[in-house]
Amino acid sequence: MYKYDHIDQTLVDQRVAQFRDQVARRLDGTLAEEEFRPLRLQNGLYHQRHAYMLRVAIPYGLFNSKQLRTMALISEKYDRGYGHFTTRQNIQYNWVTLEDTPDILAELATVEMHAIQTSGNCIRNITSDAFAGVAGDEYVDPRPICELLRQWSTLHPEFAHLPRKFKFAINGAKEDRTILLCHDVGIELKKNAQGELLADIYAGGGMGRTPILGSLIKTGLPWQLLPSYLTALLRVYNRFGRRDNLYKARIKILVKALSPEEFARQVEGEWLHIKEGDDNFTQAEWDRVAKHFTKPAYKDLPALTTDQVIAGASQADQAAFARWLGRNVKPHQVPGYASVILSLKPHGSVAPGDATTAQMYAIADLSDQYSFGELRATHEQNLVLADVEQAKLYELWQEAKKQKVALPNVGLLTDIIACPGGDFCSLANAKSLPIAKAIQERFDDLDYLFDLGDISLNISGCINSCGHHHVGNIGVLGVDKDGEEWYQITLGGEQGNDAAIGKVIGPSFYADEIPDVITNIINTYVQDRKDDESFIQAYRRLGVTPFKEAAYKNAKKKEKAAQVSGEDAS
Amino acid sequence: MSQTNTPSSNTIAAHDQVLHFPKGSKPSLAPNVWLIWSGSQDEGGLPDLEHGPANITKVLVPFSWWVQHHNESDIAAKAKEGKIGVWFAADEDILKHEQLIEVGKTVWPVVAAHFPIFRDGRSFSTAALLRDRFQWQGEIRAIGDVLIDQLLQGARVGFDSFALRPDQNTDVALKQFDLFSVTTQNSWRGLRTTRASLSA
């Protein structure tokens, strides 16, 4: 993985010093809270419901065991014994103090980590495929581009105060695991017949209160020209994005208002003036970065069939182990290896994506032992050991079970994506975590979950949709109505290549109704599905009506969903 | 703290010292001689500089006002003496006034770009365009809600002088430009360190 050179290290160290001074000025009162706010946000520091929350960047989701141990140390020393992995491949601490934050950042800097631009109206941490570099369906390893753009966007002066936050995702595989079209800018990498690396650019996607899928605005951009093209794109947005209304300030609103064609034309017009020149990446820069993304020292191993792998387990374990292999283990580019997803969604968990200090230390050890000391954070809030020898999967499974990260629920109904909701977030209209827990407890039968197959359930505590409810097959959105917490259901959302925004089925429900509502929706699927149809396939064939009727059959009240409000936090 | 431009309905407040940071030189402070006129009460034409504070001898006028009035003989005469500069509002689309700006380049001693509030970054792009597209070589001043923590970004996009908000501490401000010795993207001040350190 990428290793800082003296430039990266100097920049991160100097950034810590800068923020330390800003905090000192805040504490001595010379910097007003209102003026400090954008500064702290650009360093990932939120003021939450109960305390400060620090969001630490994990660029494109890739990290190593040493870094994880530092994350664990921070959770122990400065927080309450856990960290929360987010949908955008960051980690958050919910209970830090303002005074400690510079020390935490200094600690992070010792392991090449930071919290730069994990929040605020600037270019956020760039996300990518958690299986980058190892996925069987990959045609371009996106990581060198991710890293080059991480550097390019870090403390970019012109785009330090954009109209709103700005999120990049980068994909280079056949299957999109980045929800590319739900980002302000999605970069799809590919190679042409001559083997040249090119980028297709999608712009104007996003969730929040106005969910829109991004539009293709540029095809076949040579990778070297990414900085000048993205400068042009961001310059158009910076100059013409709406600043009069917080809710209309995202680039998606500008792209929609102008039309994708007109937006692309304006970007092109600006780009013409800057496309030649020093902004662009050079081969030397590529070489410096790309050398860190070479393959680890894989052994020459025979590829094993699943049956052979299962045969390595004891008789008593074989059924459970096979389940885990089926759900949590993914194919690898290299024979004899596999990628393993450690589930951070044990049933009845406090919060999807949480890892305790002890778990973090233990998982760091597992990565050293089984996966070259590297890890990845996924969009679904799980962790990945990307390079595990097939022959060691059984051993790893046994170790992972001890840490309670071996539940074979990846991709199943209880692999819930959820934001921290009203338990922590000051923007939330309703709680997310108790809803997630109640659903996990209701659907605690693994046989049944396996029978249901692939299905995504995403929960957001407010319209800002940090829990990405719009792209869940089943989405749950917390809404406030006259001071009460209500929950609105969307169906038909989907991430991946067939990305779709779910549709609201009707009036919202009380919290205690939700497990029954989900049960009724699921029962309808089980009743009406054909052959091997997944939930989303059945939904697309049957339409919303049978699901909607089932959802409301026991509803206590059928009232209109509340008008929702709040600022976009994620 | 004394102020050059007392906040009033027709001026934009600024610190009594301007922070100058020319390319290739060290940052320094100098008295502010420019009145930043908002143009909001223009029935009487330009503000009367003769009877104001003695140190104020020149005026920055809104670019939109310049568009309307630059052909008037008294304005042209004052401009010829180097006493008029323009400032661009954050929502000014300078690319629509290419010709006027090309002519202005021969007249204005200084141009400015306005920050209506510190967290409005449009003027960063204005400055970048003035440097890159218009090849403006003269001074570009940041005016309006200019706070200490914007100086670094401003200096890198093309600003080389800063009319700080009157309450800002100039000692802290002067130190901002030394915070980083490396950069990871190009700016008006130079090539990114990550590139400069490698052969092209």
Side-chain angles (χ1 to χ4, degrees):
Chain A
M1 69 177 258
Y2 185 70
K3 175 119 188 60
Y4 279 9
D5 67 2
H6 75 281
I7 299 169
D8 299 292
Q9 191 64 50
T10 302
L11 187 121
V12 168
D13 290 342
Q14 291 177 338
R15 174 61 167 161
V16 174
Q18 181 190 34
F19 193 66
R20 196 180 287 282
D21 173 63
Q22 290 170 339
V23 169
R25 281 189 275 133
R26 173 72 201 109
L27 291 171
D28 75 15
T30 52
L31 186 55
E33 176 56 25
E34 196 221 344
E35 290 162 7
F36 178 57
R37 188 171 176 271
L39 306 179
R40 66 170 162 76
L41 288 176
Q42 294 203 358
N43 231 324
L45 192 64
Y46 275 87
H47 199 214
Q48 293 283 49
R49 196 171 285 264
H50 309 290
Y52 280 99
M53 178 273 274
L54 181 68
R55 181 181 294 151
V56 176
I58 303 175
Y60 41 97
L62 191 61
F63 58 111
N64 62 30
S65 57
K66 191 175 169 192
Q67 292 173 325
L68 182 54
R69 287 189 187 97
T70 299
M71 294 181 209
L73 176 77
I74 288 165
S75 72
E76 194 173 26
K77 192 168 161 188
Y78 300 100
D79 205 87
R80 294 191 179 176
Y82 68 96
H84 174 75
F85 289 92
T86 78
T87 54
R88 296 201 74 255
Q89 302 179 305
N90 299 301
I91 183 170
Q92 303 182 168
Y93 298 101
N94 280 305
W95 301 97
V96 301
T97 66
L98 177 60
E99 291 80 353
D100 280 342
T101 304
D103 291 338
I104 298 173
L105 295 173
E107 199 110 48
L108 288 167
T110 65
V111 291
E112 305 180 2
M113 292 186 80
H114 61 74
I116 297 170
Q117 293 174 194
T118 53
S119 179
N121 295 335
C122 52
I123 303 170
R124 299 287 189 89
N125 183 38
I126 290 170
T127 58
S128 189
D129 183 359
F131 298 91
V134 297
D137 67 340
E138 182 171 271
Y139 36 76
V140 176
D141 182 349
R143 295 172 303 173
I145 292 294
C146 290
E147 177 55 31
L148 284 167
L149 289 176
R150 178 194 75 82
Q151 295 179 21
W152 169 79
S153 63
T154 297
L155 304 182
H156 197 298
E158 188 176 341
F159 308 125
H161 291 290
L162 292 167
R164 279 298 262 130
K165 58 183 164 182
F166 204 89
K167 298 175 177 178
F168 278 75
I170 303 178
N171 187 46
K174 191 172 163 200
E175 186 189 335
D176 172 29
R177 285 174 287 266
T178 69
I179 39 170
L180 200 74
L181 298 186
C182 286
H183 285 78
D184 297 288
V185 165
I187 300 177
E188 178 92 55
L189 299 173
K190 57 184 185 183
K191 281 189 175 163
N192 65 10
Q194 290 73 46
E196 293 161 332
L197 178 57
L198 305 172
D200 287 351
I201 310 287
Y202 294 83
M207 290 188 252
R209 69 180 53 226
T210 314
I212 298 177
L213 297 177
S215 302
L216 181 63
I217 61 158
K218 181 81 181 167
T219 56
L221 179 74
W223 68 272
Q224 296 91 334
L225 306 187
L226 277 164
S228 58
Y229 187 82
L230 295 172
T231 297
L233 185 153
L234 275 147
R235 191 171 279 170
V236 171
Y237 170 56
N238 193 31
R239 297 178 71 220
F240 302 113
R242 285 184 63 173
R243 289 175 187 263
D244 59 322
N245 182 338
L246 186 68
Y247 306 126
K248 296 187 186 296
R250 296 287 292 269
I251 192 176
K252 62 191 172 186
I253 304 294
L254 178 66
V255 173
K256 196 179 171 195
L258 292 175
S259 82
E261 296 74 25
E262 172 59 16
F263 177 75
R265 197 192 63 75
Q266 291 192 16
V267 172
E268 205 73 24
E270 178 61 33
W271 186 51
L272 273 177
H273 296 274
I274 56 174
K275 67 190 282 190
E276 312 285 343
D278 294 336
D279 272 345
N280 293 319
F281 292 137
T282 64
Q283 188 61 41
E285 287 174 295
W286 170 277
D287 293 343
R288 185 184 78 78
V289 164
K291 71 172 185 232
H292 296 292
F293 299 105
T294 51
K295 304 292 181 198
Y298 293 122
K299 293 178 193 162
D300 197 6
L301 298 171
L304 302 180
T305 63
T306 305
D307 287 345
Q308 286 171 316
V309 173
I310 294 169
S314 74
Q315 280 292 333
D317 281 341
Q318 284 188 353
F321 179 55
R323 259 184 189 161
W324 182 74
L325 289 175
R327 296 306 320 186
N328 296 29
V329 177
K330 302 292 171 194
H332 198 282
Q333 291 172 358
V334 177
Y337 285 85
S339 296
V340 169
I341 304 171
L342 300 175
S343 170
L344 297 183
K345 318 284 180 68
H347 289 179
S349 56
V350 179
D354 273 10
T356 64
T357 303
Q359 282 176 323
M360 285 192 264
Y361 281 125
I363 292 169
D365 290 345
L366 292 181
S367 80
D368 280 339
Q369 205 176 336
Y370 296 99
S371 196
F372 300 98
E374 284 190 7
L375 300 112
R376 290 102 184 289
T378 74
H379 155 64
E380 292 85 0
Q381 303 174 287
N382 291 314
L383 297 179
V384 169
L385 298 177
D387 300 290
V388 181
E389 290 177 33
Q390 284 181 300
K392 291 189 177 166
L393 285 169
Y394 178 52
E395 202 180 302
L396 170 60
W397 176 70
Q398 290 170 305
E399 293 296 323
K401 275 209 302 185
K402 289 181 199 159
Q403 300 305 324
K404 299 189 165 47
V405 292
L407 193 71
N409 63 342
V410 167
L412 301 178
L413 184 66
T414 58
D415 188 10
I416 295 170
I417 292 176
C419 70
D423 289 295
F424 295 101
C425 181
S426 50
L427 302 175
N429 294 110
K431 292 188 174 68
S432 307
L433 304 180
I435 303 293
K437 191 175 178 195
I439 294 168
Q440 285 176 336
E441 283 168 352
R442 171 69 62 92
F443 292 92
D444 191 32
D445 180 348
L446 275 178
D447 289 327
Y448 188 58
L449 285 175
F450 264 69
D451 176 59
L452 295 178
D454 283 323
I455 177 166
S456 58
L457 192 153
N458 299 3
I459 307 173
S460 298
C462 76
I463 193 66
N464 301 315
S465 57
C466 297
H468 295 177
H469 66 278
H470 294 298
V471 293
N473 297 163
I474 300 173
V476 180
L477 167 65
V479 293
D480 172 83
K481 196 182 169 194
D482 303 328
E484 275 187 300
E485 295 186 357
W486 292 70
Y487 295 86
Q488 197 178 63
I489 303 290
T490 55
L491 291 178
E494 170 91 312
Q495 61 184 69
N497 298 41
D498 297 322
I501 304 288
K503 298 242 181 335
V504 178
I505 62 167
S508 44
F509 300 92
Y510 282 127
D512 61 2
E513 294 178 284
I514 293 296
D516 285 340
V517 170
I518 304 298
T519 303
N520 292 342
I521 290 170
I522 293 297
N523 287 345
T524 303
Y525 159 64
V526 172
Q527 233 169 340
D528 296 349
R529 67 181 162 185
K530 275 186 182 170
D531 309 324
D532 292 336
E533 232 174 19
S534 68
F535 177 86
I536 190 71
Q537 287 164 339
Y539 173 84
R540 284 179 179 159
R541 177 174 58 82
L542 293 163
V544 71
T545 309
F547 295 97
K548 185 176 171 175
E549 282 171 1
Y552 287 101
K553 74 178 179 193
N554 304 320
K556 286 178 196 162
K557 289 194 175 183
K558 296 183 181 179
E559 299 196 26
K560 276 205 86 68
Q563 287 292 314
V564 288
S565 60
E567 83 180 66
D568 197 348
S570 65
Chain B
M1 190 179 292
S2 66
Q3 291 166 23
T4 306
N5 303 315
T6 315
S8 70
S9 60
N10 61 354
T11 59
I12 292 170
H15 203 281
D16 61 349
Q17 290 193 293
V18 172
L19 204 169
H20 288 281
F21 183 28
K23 205 173 182 175
S25 304
K26 291 223 171 298
S28 63
L29 295 167
N32 187 5
V33 299
W34 288 89
L35 181 78
I36 309 167
W37 184 45
S38 71
S40 61
Q41 296 174 359
D42 72 343
E43 288 92 350
L46 283 177
D48 176 12
L49 299 177
E50 310 294 321
H51 299 94
N55 54 317
I56 298 294
T57 54
K58 302 170 182 186
V59 62
L60 280 166
V61 305
F63 178 70
S64 55
W65 187 89
W66 175 267
V67 173
Q68 298 294 320
H69 298 275
H70 68 282
N71 284 328
E72 294 164 18
S73 58
D74 57 328
I75 305 303
K78 264 216 162 57
K80 211 174 170 188
E81 293 170 42
K83 291 195 165 176
I84 298 182
V86 298
W87 62 268
F88 298 102
D91 61 359
E92 193 77 68
D93 184 359
I94 59 171
L95 298 179
K96 287 191 171 151
H97 300 280
E98 208 161 334
Q99 281 188 322
L100 209 51
I101 292 174
E102 282 303 328
V103 176
K105 278 162 69 175
T106 62
V107 183
W108 306 318
V110 53
V111 298
H114 183 235
F115 290 83
I117 187 159
F118 65 97
R119 58 176 184 271
D120 182 337
R122 283 177 288 188
S123 288
F124 290 145
S125 286
T126 301
L129 286 169
L130 285 166
R131 294 297 186 194
D132 295 349
R133 191 78 67 86
F134 292 99
Q135 299 294 307
W136 170 258
Q137 305 292 328
E139 181 179 332
I140 305 181
R141 185 171 294 197
I143 63 168
D145 204 29
V146 180
L147 309 185
I148 283 159
D149 295 287
Q150 285 148 270
L151 297 176
L152 205 46
Q153 290 119 358
R156 296 192 61 215
V157 297
F159 289 103
D160 54 357
S161 77
F162 302 88
L164 287 157
R165 202 173 68 185
D167 65 348
Q168 297 295 290
N169 181 324
T170 49
D171 291 337
V172 180
L174 278 169
K175 288 182 198 150
Q176 295 305 302
F177 307 105
D178 302 328
L179 294 178
F180 291 93
S181 58
V182 294
T183 64
T184 52
Q185 62 292 114
N186 291 354
S187 77
W188 175 66
R189 302 216 173 232
L191 210 55
R192 54 194 179 266
T193 322
T194 44
R195 169 142 176 206
S197 66
L198 295 164
S199 58

